[in-house]
């Protein structure tokens, strides 16, 4: 072979893996080698969803044995020689849905219902009920629809995806919301924060058996065009959490590893669930102390819901009745048979109350592809004036509580863009081309009950804390305060558990010691270090 006289063609080796949602439970996703040539090289980015037409072939690979004298056995491996690649929607998402005229008529009829917003919210996780879930379901309905992605004349792209954070007590059905949204979204990827590394969420560079480097997309890349659900968001290491900053705002993932420098698309919404620092939400601490996250990541979330498990007899009774009803219906097969005996009646009842899962998924996909509403001058002026007034309220709160240090969730221009996206998603539900003023008012209401409520959650003051106590309990707390002042001199540190154990041994009640510590911390006499494991006496 004379190299100078040969003509060369481009060739690229890819790894084709089955989609995450089609993998059976408990199995690893299967993959195969794919070889593309000539014009097909470098047109498929990692994470793209493709349909491939090709010829199944074999190639022989002789592995070099450790012992050079050993016989070399040729190993035949299958690969696909590609003839053509068919991209799905924009290189991501499910196969482009071609809705039939009957389906489109059904969806248009749905969009004209006056209560379509309430219907969509009620259809999200219908087994989860409670007063606190109403606004969360509405926000998740907006997230499923998404805002409108915009590309400016200078090439700058503004994201249209809505990010939501659920932060609160255990057993408030946060993970159930995530699992349901993963099923309804056009592309859904579910991952847990503790078992996810920065490379697993974004992209990793792997060396194959031929000692060559290749790129593998992570969860954020695989969820391109859908929603990435991250559970246990607070358990992630800080270095791993920083990796998704770029993916949440710029919607790209930049890679510069092992000689590979590239930018991957991750046009995905993020739905995250997290617990407060101390496991449960502590009323005696401010929101900033309960939320142990940097303001850089919090400002990227459009809606932040603080989910509280409030002990109230009436509320507990209604939730208990609902849970018992869910269990009874799940085990009552006779009731199911009876309900399905007359399908027309049950269909009408279901249409009045909630949408079926398949219909909900199809309607979401239809709205995302067909509708792209925009603001008009009236709604734009209303949004800008409301944003200025919200900033003024936050500034006054900051001045009253001592500046920026007490502000848990920053209110920045990103929050103004969040209001625009939420308003657009509300108009998208009705397949309208223009955002109405009622959409702006509902977006402002959602923002105020979520992010603004989280930003302005103040700790209970000492007066409120002592007001509901009896004389005996007050005396116990005062005695506990005296013990703490004697035990921890000014300017010294002590272990929290050791101090509490010594106090209990001397006859002080555990609740009185903890309550006294909180009261003294509010008076800036004590501060807690190392997530509450150590105490330091300030004055």
């Amino acid at each position: 072979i004379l190299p100078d006289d040969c003509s060369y063609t481009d060739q690229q080796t890819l790894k084709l893996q089955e989609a995450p949602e089609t993998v059976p439970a408990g199995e690893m996703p299967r993959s195969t080698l794919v070889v593309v040539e000539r014009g097909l090289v470098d047109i498929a980015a990692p994470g793209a969803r493709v349909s491939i037409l090709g010829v199944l072939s074999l190639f022989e690979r002789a592995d070099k044995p450790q012992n050079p004298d050993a016989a070399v056995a040729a190993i035949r491996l299958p690969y696909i020689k590609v003839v053509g690649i068919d991209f799905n929607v924009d290189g991501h998402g499910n196969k482009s849905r071609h809705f039939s005229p009957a389906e489109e008529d059904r969806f248009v009829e749905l969009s004209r219902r006056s209560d379509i917003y309430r219907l969509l919210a009620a259809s999200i996780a219908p087994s989860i009920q409670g007063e606190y879930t109403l606004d969360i379901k509405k926000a998740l309905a907006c997230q499923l629809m998404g805002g409108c992605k915009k590309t400016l004349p200078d090439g700058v792209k503004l994201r249209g995806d809505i990010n939501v954070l659920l932060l609160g007590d255990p057993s408030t059905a946060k993970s159930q919301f995530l699992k349901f949204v993963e099923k309804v979204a056009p592309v859904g990827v579910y991952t847990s924060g503790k078992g996810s590394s920065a490379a697993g969420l974004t992209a990793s560079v792997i060396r194959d058996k031929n000692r060559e480097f290749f790129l593998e997309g992570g969860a954020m890349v695989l969820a391109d065009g859908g929603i990435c659900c991250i559970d246990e968001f607070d358990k992630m290491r800080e270095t791993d959490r920083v990796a998704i900053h770029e993916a949440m705002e710029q919607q790209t993932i930049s890679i510069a590893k092992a000689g590979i420098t590239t930018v991957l698309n991750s046009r995905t919404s993020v739905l995250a669930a997290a617990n407060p620092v101390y496991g449960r939400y502590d009323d005696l601490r401010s929101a900033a102390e309960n939320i142990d996250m940097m303001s850089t990541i919090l400002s990227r979330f459009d809606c932040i819901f603080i989910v509280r498990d409030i002990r109230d007899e009436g509320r507990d009774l209604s939730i208990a009745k609902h849970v018992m009803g869910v269990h009874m219906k799940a085990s009552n097969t006779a009731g199911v048979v009876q309900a399905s005996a007359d399908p027309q009646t049950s269909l009408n009842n279901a249409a009045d109350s909630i949408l079926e899962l398949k219909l909900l998924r199809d309607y979401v996909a239809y709205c995302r592809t067909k509708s792209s509403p925009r603001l008009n001058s009236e709604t734009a002026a209303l949004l800008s004036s409301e944003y200025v007034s919200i900033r003024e309220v936050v500034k006054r709160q900051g001045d009253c509580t001592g500046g920026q240090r007490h502000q848990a969730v920053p209110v920045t221009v990103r929050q103004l863009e969040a209001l625009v996206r939420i308003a657009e998603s509300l108009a998208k539900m009705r397949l309208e081309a223009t955002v109405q003023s009622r959409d702006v008012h509902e977006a402002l209401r959602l923002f105020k009950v979520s992010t603004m409520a989280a930003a302005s959650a103040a700790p209970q003051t000492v007066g409120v804390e002592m007001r509901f106590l009896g004389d005996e309990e007050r005396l116990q707390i005062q005695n506990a305060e005296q013990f703490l002042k004697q035990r921890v001199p000014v300017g010294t540190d002590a272990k929290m558990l050791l101090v509490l154990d010594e106090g209990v041994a001397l006859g002080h009640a555990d609740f009185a010691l903890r309550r006294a510590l909180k009261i003294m911390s509010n008076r800036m006499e004590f501060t807690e270090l190392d997530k509450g494991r150590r105490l330091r006496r300030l004055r």
Side-chain angles (χ1 to χ4, degrees):
I1 297 175
L2 300 175
D4 292 346
D5 295 340
C6 296
S7 60
Y8 295 90
T9 59
D10 293 332
Q11 190 184 57
Q12 184 183 23
T13 304
L14 303 173
K15 181 177 163 190
L16 183 68
Q17 180 178 302
E18 61 181 330
E21 60 266 17
T22 62
V23 180
E27 293 188 16
M28 294 286 290
R30 293 167 296 183
S31 59
T32 183
L33 281 177
V34 169
V35 176
V36 294
E37 293 178 349
R38 294 182 175 86
L40 299 177
V41 172
D42 274 343
I43 65 168
R49 297 182 177 235
V50 295
S51 302
I52 282 181
L53 176 67
V55 181
L56 185 63
S57 310
L58 294 174
F59 73 95
E60 293 186 0
R61 193 192 72 207
D63 285 335
K64 292 181 181 178
Q66 299 295 327
N67 184 5
D69 298 329
V72 176
I75 301 173
R76 288 178 173 83
L77 293 175
Y79 75 99
I80 296 176
K81 189 171 182 181
V82 177
V83 179
I85 297 180
D86 178 25
F87 280 95
N88 302 342
V89 187
D90 298 332
H92 64 278
N94 283 338
K95 191 77 178 162
S96 179
R97 284 296 311 271
H98 297 291
F99 297 104
S100 65
E103 285 181 314
E104 293 203 11
D105 290 344
R106 176 80 194 276
F107 295 147
V108 171
E109 184 187 343
L110 261 179
S111 68
R112 288 174 180 162
R113 287 185 56 162
S114 59
D115 62 339
I116 181 63
Y117 179 41
R118 182 204 61 77
L119 183 67
L120 286 173
S123 303
I124 291 177
S127 61
I128 302 169
Q129 295 293 332
E131 192 179 338
Y132 73 96
T133 64
L134 298 177
D135 290 322
I136 295 176
K137 289 183 178 185
K138 289 178 179 176
L140 294 182
C142 293
Q143 185 183 32
L144 283 169
M145 291 295 167
C148 299
K149 185 180 176 183
K150 305 174 187 73
T151 305
L152 303 183
D154 58 354
V156 175
K157 294 181 179 178
L158 301 176
R159 71 177 166 104
D161 296 303
I162 297 171
N163 300 323
V164 178
L165 172 66
L166 306 178
L167 183 126
D169 297 336
S171 83
T172 47
K174 299 189 297 295
S175 299
Q176 293 293 334
F177 278 125
L178 267 65
K179 285 286 187 185
F180 187 87
V181 168
E182 181 211 0
K183 284 188 279 187
V184 176
V187 179
V189 174
Y190 180 90
T191 178
S192 179
K194 191 64 177 174
S196 303
S197 62
L201 282 171
T202 54
S204 54
V205 174
I206 298 174
R207 179 178 285 182
D208 62 3
K209 293 180 181 176
N210 298 330
R211 313 288 294 169
E212 293 180 1
F213 292 104
F214 66 94
L215 204 59
E216 274 202 352
M220 301 282 285
V221 178
L222 294 176
D224 193 16
I227 295 180
C228 181
C229 303
I230 306 175
D231 207 354
E232 308 293 347
F233 195 64
D234 56 310
K235 312 291 190 304
M236 288 174 67
R237 292 184 293 274
E238 193 62 42
T239 52
D240 298 338
R241 205 184 294 153
V242 168
I244 65 173
H245 279 203
E246 181 193 1
M248 287 181 68
E249 189 60 40
Q250 277 73 40
Q251 300 212 304
T252 56
I253 291 171
S254 306
I255 298 291
K257 296 177 183 175
I260 297 177
T261 306
T262 184
V263 177
L264 304 176
N265 284 322
S266 68
R267 294 156 290 191
T268 172
S269 304
V270 174
L271 173 59
N275 294 113
V277 182
Y278 304 96
R280 294 184 67 87
Y281 195 88
D282 195 341
D283 288 323
L284 298 177
R285 301 176 192 273
S286 65
E289 292 172 299
N290 277 292
I291 305 173
D292 184 27
M293 290 184 202
M294 301 282 287
S295 59
T296 49
I297 191 89
L298 289 176
S299 69
R300 285 168 162 81
F301 284 105
D302 301 336
C303 290
I304 300 174
F305 285 94
I306 291 184
V307 189
R308 305 286 304 282
D309 182 17
I310 300 170
R311 296 175 180 83
D312 176 61
E313 187 178 355
R315 173 174 163 160
D316 292 346
L317 188 62
S318 65
I319 289 178
K321 281 183 179 176
H322 173 71
V323 171
M324 289 300 101
V326 168
H327 281 268
M328 286 163 61
K329 287 173 187 171
S331 60
N332 187 6
T333 54
V336 175
V337 173
Q338 186 182 0
S340 60
D342 186 2
Q344 189 61 40
T345 310
S346 60
L347 187 68
N348 292 338
N349 293 338
D352 290 339
S353 56
I354 60 170
L355 298 175
E356 292 178 7
L357 185 62
K358 183 180 182 306
L359 180 60
L360 177 63
R361 191 190 298 122
D362 290 346
Y363 186 68
V364 167
Y366 182 79
C367 290
R368 285 173 77 110
T369 53
K370 297 291 183 184
S371 179
S372 181
R374 289 288 187 267
L375 292 170
N376 55 25
S377 55
E378 178 194 351
T379 50
L382 177 61
L383 263 178
S384 55
S385 62
E386 287 287 346
Y387 168 72
V388 171
S389 63
I390 287 174
R391 287 272 291 188
E392 186 62 33
V393 169
V394 171
K395 180 177 181 296
R396 283 204 300 271
Q397 286 178 351
D399 293 341
C400 295
T401 55
Q404 292 288 327
R405 189 170 56 85
H406 289 275
Q407 192 179 330
V409 183
V411 177
T412 60
V413 181
R414 276 184 182 151
Q415 275 58 47
L416 175 59
E417 292 185 336
L419 288 169
V420 173
R421 283 190 287 271
I422 295 171
E424 287 173 348
S425 69
L426 290 165
K428 195 181 279 192
M429 291 176 193
R430 303 190 303 273
L431 298 176
E432 290 187 353
T434 310
V435 177
Q436 307 292 331
S437 58
R438 57 176 172 169
D439 299 326
V440 173
H441 288 302
E442 175 59 21
L444 283 163
R445 190 195 69 80
L446 266 182
F447 181 74
K448 285 174 181 173
V449 299
S450 58
T451 308
M452 283 300 293
S456 59
Q460 290 185 358
T461 57
V462 182
V464 172
E465 185 56 27
M466 296 290 280
R467 191 187 306 158
F468 302 108
L469 297 175
D471 295 336
E472 185 181 347
E473 291 171 332
R474 285 188 192 181
L475 187 61
Q476 286 179 323
I477 292 173
Q478 287 167 1
N479 292 337
E481 279 190 39
Q482 291 297 327
F483 161 74
L484 290 170
K485 287 178 180 176
Q486 294 169 2
R487 171 64 180 80
V488 187
V490 177
T492 59
D493 293 4
K495 285 187 177 179
M496 169 83 87
L497 287 176
L498 194 62
V499 171
L500 292 175
D501 289 344
E502 287 182 18
V504 171
L506 290 173
H508 297 286
D510 183 76
F511 94 92
L513 289 165
R514 292 181 183 274
R515 195 65 62 86
L517 269 176
K518 295 287 184 295
I519 293 169
M520 295 172 82
S521 297
N522 287 339
R523 292 203 300 249
M524 301 302 291
E525 294 182 22
F526 275 102
T527 185
E528 294 181 5
L529 310 171
D530 194 16
K531 290 190 177 180
R533 294 189 186 94
R534 299 184 64 80
L535 285 172
R536 174 173 292 170
R537 177 89 179 275
L538 298 177
R539 58 188 177 86

